[in-house]
Amino acid sequence: MRVLLLGADGFIGRRVTDRLLVDQELQVTVLGRRDSADIRFDLTTGSPGALARFLDAVAPQVVINCAGATYGSSRTLIRANTLAVATVCEAIRRSREPARLVHVGSAAEYGPVPGGVPVSEAAEPRPVGPYGVSKLAGTELVLSSGLDAAVLRVFDVVGPGAPTASLFGRLAEGLRRALERDESQVRMPDLSGYRDFVDVRDVARAIRAAAVSAATGVINIGSGHAVRAREAAQLLVRASGYEGAIVEENRQVLLPAQAGGPAEHPAAHLGQHHLPGHRPEPRPAEGRMPAGEPVPWRQADVRTARDRLGWRTQVPLEESLGDVWLETACRV
């Protein structure tokens, strides 16, 4: 199967590249802005007609779109997450043999959802902020394109290669700096929200599964479990061996390894199961959202991914965050 991969240099795209290149059943061509790409093309400035000519030359059976932006100005986000998607869809429509499209969406498209319950693909999207709005617009373009297309609505991705601007990329860098400088605390934003963390390598497996499937429409990709960000942070702190304090906005949380006995240790993978002796903090009441927190809860209903892609997560959260620390600690 001939596959054209867009966005191979991003956090998710790099892992997708690794996953596809070892698959002997796939012939992979990479299109992107960098010299390392097989085809040099900028989706944010290039025309659909020019891209269609590349599609005719490669004749892919599947186009995988991992391209996009997570951070930046509203203009940057719209160009990368909406206009670029319009270019891809139009180019595929114009090509001689329209390919199947697998597009990477985001759980941010859902916006605030009731606490305590998983969100299904049937939920009405209500994104907040430019990122979620721009991603939802891209998803709507794909769904209305008339193409053979699937949108993988990916939840909170973690694992090696996490950008330093991401929550755990930032924490890992902060821990490294604190250990190097013998600092007693690391500052972080509020960690009280619940998130559905999924390893980037599991996401890559899901994208590969979607590429070779006949599934269409929106498909949630997550672990299916909500974990408080504060508990996940404890796993990363424990992996680093840091004994100082994590200072959140409006709250200080001490996470020493030995003060008063072993540090609290949440279960590595399932948000609702904890090791003996660990007392989880209460979840938001079902159907209620704390004031001042636009998205305090996020948990995927992953039955569609299981049933239509045959996909389940394989990498536990503890292993994923341990790999984040290992990569950060070994970085020269």
Side-chain angles (χ1 to χ4, degrees):
M1 177 181 287
R2 294 181 302 278
V3 176
L4 181 65
L5 176 60
L6 317 177
D9 292 318
F11 175 34
I12 294 176
R14 287 194 298 271
R15 292 298 175 181
V16 173
T17 304
D18 293 342
R19 180 68 182 82
L20 298 184
L21 288 179
V22 299
D23 192 329
Q24 296 184 352
E25 297 180 359
L26 304 179
Q27 179 183 324
V28 182
T29 301
V30 172
L31 181 146
R33 291 179 294 183
R34 301 194 179 181
D35 292 338
S36 57
D38 299 310
I39 301 172
R40 291 283 302 277
F41 190 85
D42 189 336
L43 293 172
T44 64
T45 60
S47 71
L51 180 57
R53 289 191 288 275
F54 284 125
L55 290 173
D56 288 339
V58 176
Q61 292 154 290
V62 179
V63 173
I64 298 176
N65 184 26
C66 297
T70 308
Y71 311 99
S73 66
S74 296
R75 177 184 174 85
T76 297
L77 294 171
I78 291 171
R79 288 173 66 89
N81 298 332
T82 306
L83 295 180
V85 178
T87 296
V88 172
C89 291
E90 180 61 24
I92 294 175
R93 280 198 299 264
R94 293 188 189 184
S95 62
R96 285 195 295 265
E97 297 182 12
R100 172 173 169 77
L101 174 61
V102 176
H103 175 69
V104 177
S106 170
E109 297 169 35
Y110 286 120
V113 295
V117 293
V119 58
S120 76
E121 293 87 351
E124 184 69 25
R126 295 181 298 144
V128 292
Y131 173 69
V133 170
S134 67
K135 289 296 291 185
L136 178 60
T139 289
E140 294 295 342
L141 286 168
V142 172
L143 297 179
S144 63
S145 66
L147 299 172
D148 172 13
V151 175
L152 303 191
R153 199 164 267 167
V154 178
F155 279 63
D156 298 83
V157 188
V158 296
T164 55
S166 68
L167 181 65
F168 294 116
R170 173 178 173 177
L171 177 56
E173 288 293 336
L175 291 168
R176 173 178 168 168
R177 183 171 58 252
L179 288 166
E180 290 174 345
R181 301 177 183 178
D182 196 26
E183 295 174 345
S184 61
Q185 60 181 229
V186 175
R187 294 189 174 275
M188 288 293 293
D190 177 54
L191 299 172
S192 63
Y194 286 84
R195 293 292 181 265
D196 187 326
F197 299 111
V198 57
D199 189 88
V200 66
R201 292 159 291 193
D202 281 330
V203 173
R205 289 178 43 251
I207 291 171
R208 193 272 179 194
V212 300
S213 79
T216 59
V218 175
I219 303 173
N220 286 341
I221 301 299
S223 70
H225 305 285
V227 177
R228 198 156 208 159
R230 187 174 297 131
E231 296 181 356
Q234 290 178 351
L235 293 174
L236 184 51
V237 172
R238 185 175 180 129
S240 73
Y242 180 64
E243 299 178 0
I246 305 300
V247 180
E248 299 177 37
E249 294 174 357
N250 303 321
R251 171 172 177 159
Q252 178 168 302
V253 180
L254 298 177
L255 302 173
Q258 79 283 358
E264 288 184 340
H265 193 294
H269 189 48
L270 301 184
Q272 49 271 73
H273 297 119
H274 300 268
L275 297 182
H278 177 70
R279 298 181 60 190
E281 299 188 54
R283 295 181 173 190
E286 185 170 326
R288 298 177 60 188
M289 291 175 286
E293 293 186 340
V295 187
W297 172 275
R298 198 145 63 203
Q299 178 184 352
D301 181 332
V302 294
R303 289 175 293 180
T304 301
R306 179 193 62 202
D307 296 342
R308 299 179 67 187
L309 301 182
W311 174 88
R312 298 175 187 268
T313 57
Q314 294 182 353
V315 184
L317 181 56
E318 184 175 29
E319 178 182 340
S320 184
L321 292 174
D323 289 343
V324 170
W325 173 248
L326 181 62
E327 181 186 69
T328 302
C330 294
R331 189 177 300 139
V332 178

